[in-house]
């Protein structure tokens, strides 16, 4: 059992109280609470007995659909939060006085970062710097988790990618995330703050954003089966990704902040698959066997039974610079934190298709 001491002033006396770490209810602030990971992490922390504050970006209404899906909306204390606004961040940290801050908020879509590079940098780069500064000013003992990304490896310099692989970002999103990654390291080393980055490879779930390729595919399978969509249009089918299950990945975020020392960890499965393979597995889960014809932008996915084209390629979905191959080694997380991914790529895609079919 671990203990910690807290100083309290009673009249003229400064007293030190001894607390059992496991017996005191901890408070966590999760930014990006309306997103995929925010919802799963909130569910995980509530299950561990945490008081959870969910930071949402103010807009016409709060979108709690992901939280509703996981049945956790009522357990979370929602606070209005904007990564672009330093004063708002300082006030939020001052008011809540969290033990742990999980920064999951971001402009998270690589494709959009080519169209909105400045907004992406303001949010994903300077936003993180604002948050770190706010923590340093208010209470530098607050533990900090930063959502770093495998996109930082970009044009990969070694296979598989580990914590030691040099970075080579290939999009405004990745460049901004890399800056935030180094800020996190820098604040850890400069100010002795407990600041960690999880270098997460792609992770998916039934509440993954609709524009990401896996969810775009699994939703299309459900709609094509239901007769409400006729064809699925994609970009580069040959890119390879290391896809894991978001529900398992958020557990490691928490584990990282409980370890004795702050450090960075790759979170991945060490299995990689093409987008083409993802299409095959998803359609098979919907009872449709896909056969490929043609190449490049002329490639088509044909329903083997009916001969109908169900998948096509359009240059619209190609990126100015592509990340061709990602595959990560979670060995360090396994050795030090005892974490291992459980759900396989095939199980994950089948789970997503089943949920999308159920929802329709
Ligand atoms: P989502 O896109 O689902 O969620 C992003 C969240 O950030 C949303 O709640 C969004 O709010 C919020 N947000 C965006 N801009 C701001 C802002 N200016 N101020 C406050 N909040 C803001 O992402 P995921 O849950 O999938 O990912 C979580 C984090 O992990 C992100 O930082 C992402 O970049 C990173 N990551 C994700 C990977 C993945 O495969 N999922 C892989 C590697 C890293 P709103 O709902 O209003 O848009
Ligand atoms: P990313 O790895 O964070 O960019 O996650 P995405 O799910 O957005 O993209 C994964 C890969 O799928 C990238 O290599 C994309 O170029 C590729 N891809 C191919 N077609 C599409 C598409 O229609 N939408 C998206 N989002 N990605 C696509």
């Amino acid at each position: 059992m671990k203990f910690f001491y807290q100083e309290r002033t009673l009249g003229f006396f400064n007293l030190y109280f001894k607390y059992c770490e496991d017996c005191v209810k901890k408070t966590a602030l999760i930014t990006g609470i309306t997103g995929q990971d925010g919802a799963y992490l909130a569910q995980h922390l509530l299950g561990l007995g945490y008081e959870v504050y969910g930071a949402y970006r103010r807009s016409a209404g709060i979108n709690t659909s992901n939280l509703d899906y996981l049945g956790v909306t009522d357990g979370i204390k929602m606070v209005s939060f904007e990564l672009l606004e330093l004063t708002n961040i300082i006030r939020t940290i001052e008011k809540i006085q969290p033990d742990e801050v999980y920064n999951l908020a971001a402009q998270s879509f690589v494709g959009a970062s080519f169209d909105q590079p400045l907004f992406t940098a303001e949010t994903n780069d300077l936003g993180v710097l604002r948050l770190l500064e706010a923590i340093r000013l208010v209470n530098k003992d607050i533990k900090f988790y930063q959502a770093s990304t495998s996109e930082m490896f970009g044009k990969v310099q070694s296979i598989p990618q580990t914590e030691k692989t040099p970075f080579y970002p290939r999009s405004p999103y990745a460049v901004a995330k890399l800056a935030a990654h180094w800020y996190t390291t820098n604040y850890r080393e400069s100010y002795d703050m407990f600041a960690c980055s999880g270098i997460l490879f792609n992770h998916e779930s039934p509440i993954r954003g609709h524009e990401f390729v896996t969810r775009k595919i699994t939703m299309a399978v459900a709609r094509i089966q239901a007769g409400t969509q006729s064809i699925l249009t994609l970009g580069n089918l040959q890119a390879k990704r290391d896809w894991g299950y978001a529900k398992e990945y958020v557990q490691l975020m928490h584990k990282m902040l409980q370890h004795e020392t702050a450090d960075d960890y790759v979170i991945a499965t060490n299995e990689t698959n093409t987008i083409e393979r993802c299409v095959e597995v998803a359609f098979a889960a919907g009872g449709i066997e896909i056969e490929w014809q043609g190449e490049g932008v002329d490639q088509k996915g044909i329903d083997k039974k009916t001969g109908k084209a169900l998948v096509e390629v359009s240059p619209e979905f190609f990126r100015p610079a592509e990340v061709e191959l990602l595959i990560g080694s979670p060995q360090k997380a396994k050795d030090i934190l005892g974490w291992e991914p459980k759900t396989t790529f095939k199980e994950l895609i089948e789970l997503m298709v089943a949920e999308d079919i159920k929802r329709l």
Side-chain angles (χ1 to χ4, degrees):
M1 196 172 280
K2 284 195 213 155
F3 293 95
F4 67 95
Y5 293 87
Q6 214 168 54
E7 192 179 353
R8 286 211 171 156
T9 308
L10 286 180
F12 294 110
F13 302 103
N14 273 349
L15 299 176
Y16 287 88
F17 288 84
K18 187 179 180 185
Y19 293 97
C20 155
E21 220 175 69
D22 301 329
C23 317
V24 176
K25 190 170 185 151
K26 286 189 193 163
T27 301
L29 172 66
I30 304 175
T31 74
I33 193 73
T34 54
Q36 169 187 260
D37 291 7
Y40 278 110
L41 181 63
Q43 183 188 48
H44 183 57
L45 295 185
L46 286 169
L48 294 172
Y50 272 68
E51 184 171 24
V52 176
Y53 284 84
Y56 69 96
R57 174 163 61 157
R58 215 209 76 76
S59 60
I62 313 176
N63 179 2
T64 58
S65 60
N66 289 340
L67 301 170
D68 295 339
Y69 175 82
L70 297 182
V72 294
T73 316
D74 290 344
I76 300 167
K77 297 182 171 122
M78 299 293 272
V79 286
S80 167
F81 178 91
E82 176 52 70
L83 268 179
L84 305 183
E85 175 66 60
L86 178 65
T87 58
N88 168 248
I89 300 176
I90 294 174
R91 277 195 299 275
T92 307
I93 306 275
E94 261 175 350
K95 190 172 128 200
I96 296 170
Q97 294 287 340
D99 299 294
E100 298 168 6
V101 172
Y102 295 87
N103 182 38
L104 309 183
Q107 190 300 91
S108 65
F109 187 39
V110 173
S113 76
F114 288 101
D115 293 329
Q116 302 179 349
L118 297 173
F119 173 73
T120 302
E122 275 293 344
T123 312
N124 298 4
D125 170 335
L126 289 179
V128 182
L129 187 56
R130 291 184 193 100
L131 186 47
L132 283 163
E133 270 298 278
I135 292 173
R136 184 163 80 93
L137 285 168
V138 175
N139 175 6
K140 77 179 192 66
D141 291 336
I142 294 170
K143 293 182 176 181
F144 178 75
Y145 171 86
Q146 167 59 14
S148 285
T149 166
S150 55
E151 290 290 323
M152 301 187 308
F153 295 122
K155 194 172 179 179
V156 299
Q157 303 294 296
S158 67
I159 297 171
Q161 293 84 57
T162 71
E163 294 78 4
K164 293 196 167 75
T165 302
F167 299 117
Y168 195 136
R170 294 269 282 171
S171 63
Y173 168 81
V175 172
K177 281 281 185 178
L178 185 53
H181 182 79
W182 282 117
Y183 292 141
T184 306
T185 308
N186 191 241
Y187 274 59
R188 178 168 74 218
E189 293 174 356
S190 305
Y191 308 118
D192 198 24
M193 281 168 57
F194 198 105
C196 310
S197 292
I199 307 174
L200 269 67
F201 283 62
N202 298 52
H203 47 283
E204 322 293 312
S205 75
I207 55 171
R208 177 66 147 146
H210 296 185
E211 70 272 44
F212 295 93
V213 77
T214 53
R215 190 77 198 287
K216 184 172 166 182
I217 295 169
T218 61
M219 282 173 59
V221 170
R223 286 181 183 147
I224 287 171
Q225 220 194 41
T228 57
Q229 183 174 337
S230 54
I231 197 152
L232 165 65
T233 310
L234 296 169
N236 181 4
L237 297 179
Q238 306 313 324
K240 289 181 166 177
R241 289 291 180 276
D242 178 331
W243 283 294
Y245 188 15
K247 189 175 178 172
E248 292 168 8
Y249 282 29
V250 298
Q251 296 172 12
L252 195 62
M253 298 175 185
H254 173 255
K255 272 181 184 285
M256 282 170 63
L257 294 200
Q258 313 317 306
H259 194 59
E260 279 150 38
T261 46
D263 205 348
D264 305 327
Y265 295 87
V266 160
I267 311 181
T269 68
N270 207 11
E271 180 188 339
T272 193
N273 285 283
T274 58
I275 315 302
E276 199 177 86
R277 177 76 191 131
C278 181
V279 169
E280 290 165 6
V281 171
F283 276 85
I288 300 170
E289 193 178 341
I290 291 288
E291 253 182 0
W292 297 103
Q293 285 178 7
E295 272 179 23
V297 286
D298 297 323
Q299 188 172 355
K300 293 222 173 340
I302 311 288
D303 181 342
K304 197 174 172 190
K305 205 153 126 200
T306 64
K308 205 174 153 216
L310 297 182
V311 186
E312 64 179 1
V313 174
S314 166
E316 187 194 339
F317 296 105
F318 280 80
R319 292 170 181 176
E322 179 61 283
V323 172
E324 297 292 351
L325 163 74
L326 290 175
I327 178 164
S329 166
Q331 196 59 45
K332 180 174 167 186
K334 186 179 173 187
D335 293 345
I336 298 178
L337 302 175
W339 179 90
E340 263 187 295
K342 293 190 182 70
T343 307
T344 64
F345 162 70
K346 189 165 171 286
E347 287 166 349
L348 173 65
I349 299 301
E350 286 172 354
L351 173 107
M352 290 171 68
V353 170
E355 279 299 301
D356 279 327
I357 289 174
K358 201 160 86 185
R359 281 177 185 179
L360 267 192

